[in-house]
């Protein structure tokens, strides 16, 4: 299948509003969503929204039809890299299972992705919902309220606080603010600054935080974004739950990223940059 065309955020969100309903996100207690893609989500093979939860080993039989052993395979459950191979994976109702096949990149592994939103906020991990907290550089900023409001509309109860180096291992956190004001304030932000080998995120800000470099899987800079650029990305430290970032080069970029926090925009993206309200896939081809 051909790569999906880029879509403006404005068009996507207006169409959803005119339809009178939000994006499909519900799966029954005995259902899951199943996606198989290639090249970091660039090409879809299958996208099944309401699949019966398979018996043990069932996922492996499904994936065998699409597997290419020459490629690296990343298997995510609710946006979190699976700790077990498909034959051993226990699937729960509501889970979003995503297998992506791609050439090996500079990141040994990608521990978390944003393309399964609203997971892991909605159904959590291992069949258990997790506490969620929105941490903002400025709790009074519009972007902070926008992120929290979107979670509330999804039925997610989320606490709010300022950014801190949290020790809450079982809390899924979203850090909101310009990168220059998030940098150095959390272990996960240190990981992002370390590049894709450290975080699995193929984008990094310059020393000032005013420019955002978007990388290809080899780690080469393909595109550089300036004022008004946003980024939605996730990473995960060992033995902790994921940390998401709704950030950017400035306040305008953070606001753009907050608007893009939507299933129809984030779907099948490992991470997503925003430039002039247009989505920029991360990594770039």
């Amino acid at each position: 299948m051909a790569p999906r065309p880029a879509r403006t955020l404005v068009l996507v969100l207006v169409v959803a509003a005119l339809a009178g309903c939000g994006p499909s996100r519900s799966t029954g207690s005995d259902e899951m969503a199943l996606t198989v893609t290639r090249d970091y989500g660039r090409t879809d093979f299958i996208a099944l929204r309401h699949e019966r939860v398979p018996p043990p080993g069932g996922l492996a039989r499904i994936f065998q039809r699409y597997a290419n052993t020459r490629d690296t395979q990343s298997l995510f459950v609710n946006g979190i890299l699976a700790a077990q191979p498909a034959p051993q994976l226990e699937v729960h109702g509501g889970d979003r299972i995503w297998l992506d096949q791609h050439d090996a990149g500079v990141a040994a592994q990608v521990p978390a992705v944003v393309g399964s939103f609203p997971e892991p906020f909605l159904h959590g991990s291992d069949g258990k919902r997790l506490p969620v907290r929105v941490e903002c550089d400025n709790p009074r900023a519009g972007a902070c309220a926008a992120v929290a409001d979107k979670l509330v509309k999804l039925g997610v109860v989320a606490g709010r606080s300022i950014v801190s180096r949290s020790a809450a291992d079982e809390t899924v956190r979203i850090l909101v603010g310009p990168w220059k004001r998030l940098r150095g304030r959390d272990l996960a932000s240190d990981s992002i600054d370390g590049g894709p080998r450290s975080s699995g995120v193929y984008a990094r800000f310059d020393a000032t935080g005013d420019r955002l470099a978007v990388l290809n899987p080899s780690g080469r800079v393909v595109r550089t974004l300036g004022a008004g650029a946003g980024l939605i990305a996730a990473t995960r430290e060992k033995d902790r739950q994921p940390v998401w970032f709704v950030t950017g080069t400035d306040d305008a970029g953070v606001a753009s990223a907050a608007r893009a926090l939507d299933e129809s925009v984030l779907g099948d993206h490992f991470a997503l940059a925003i430039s002039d309200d247009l989505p920029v896939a991360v990594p770039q081809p």
Side-chain angles (χ1 to χ4, degrees):
M1 295 177 62
R4 297 185 305 276
R7 296 162 292 179
T8 66
L9 304 180
V10 173
L11 177 60
V12 168
L13 298 178
V14 167
V15 169
L18 290 176
C21 61
S24 171
R25 65 176 186 272
S26 63
T27 53
S29 59
D30 60 348
E31 293 183 333
M32 66 172 187
L34 177 65
T35 303
V36 179
T37 61
R38 180 172 177 78
D39 296 333
Y40 299 89
R42 185 170 174 81
T43 303
D44 286 332
F45 285 140
I46 57 173
L48 306 174
R49 305 295 302 199
H50 301 282
E51 276 292 291
R52 286 277 185 180
V53 172
L59 276 181
R61 289 191 290 273
I62 295 173
F63 291 154
Q64 281 175 353
R65 285 177 277 173
Y66 302 92
N68 184 338
T69 55
R70 294 174 298 175
D71 295 329
T72 298
Q73 297 186 18
S74 297
L75 176 58
F76 303 99
V77 181
N78 294 342
I80 304 171
L81 185 67
Q84 301 87 21
Q88 302 172 19
L89 191 65
E90 183 179 359
V91 182
H92 302 86
D95 281 349
R96 292 194 173 197
I97 310 299
W98 178 12
L99 176 72
D100 184 79
Q101 301 178 90
H102 49 263
D103 294 334
V106 295
Q109 63 179 20
V110 176
V113 292
V114 302
S116 294
F117 186 82
E119 305 302 346
F121 307 103
L122 199 58
H123 289 99
S125 177
D126 295 327
K128 297 180 293 186
R129 295 190 72 164
L130 299 167
V132 178
R133 188 166 68 246
V134 179
E135 297 185 6
C136 302
D137 166 69
N138 178 6
R140 297 185 178 181
C144 181
V147 170
D149 289 347
K150 287 190 176 187
L151 293 176
V152 169
K153 290 178 181 178
L154 291 168
V156 176
V157 177
R160 289 172 64 177
S161 70
I162 62 172
V163 178
S164 63
R165 283 183 172 259
S166 173
D169 295 340
E170 292 304 313
T171 299
V172 184
R173 296 180 296 138
I174 306 182
L175 274 55
V176 183
W179 191 253
K180 64 189 69 176
R181 300 204 292 269
L182 296 182
R183 170 173 275 155
R185 298 179 67 179
D186 189 85
L187 290 173
S189 63
D190 296 344
S191 178
I192 298 287
D193 271 337
R197 286 187 176 90
S198 174
S199 65
V201 176
Y202 285 86
R204 61 192 310 174
F205 291 87
D206 69 1
T208 65
D210 294 329
R211 296 173 71 81
L212 174 64
V214 181
L215 314 178
N216 68 8
S218 298
R220 182 172 63 87
V221 176
V222 176
R223 188 169 177 182
T224 301
L225 309 177
L231 176 68
I232 304 176
T235 189
R236 186 187 188 196
E237 299 296 313
K238 184 178 179 181
D239 299 327
R240 305 185 78 181
Q241 296 300 338
V243 176
W244 281 47
F245 293 92
V246 176
T247 185
T249 56
D250 49 29
D251 288 325
V254 179
S256 291
R259 289 193 293 272
L261 193 68
D262 185 274
E263 178 181 357
S264 58
V265 180
L266 293 177
D268 296 352
H269 287 293
F270 274 43
L272 191 71
I274 314 296
S275 178
D276 296 325
D277 266 349
L278 287 170
V280 179
V282 177
Q284 282 282 284

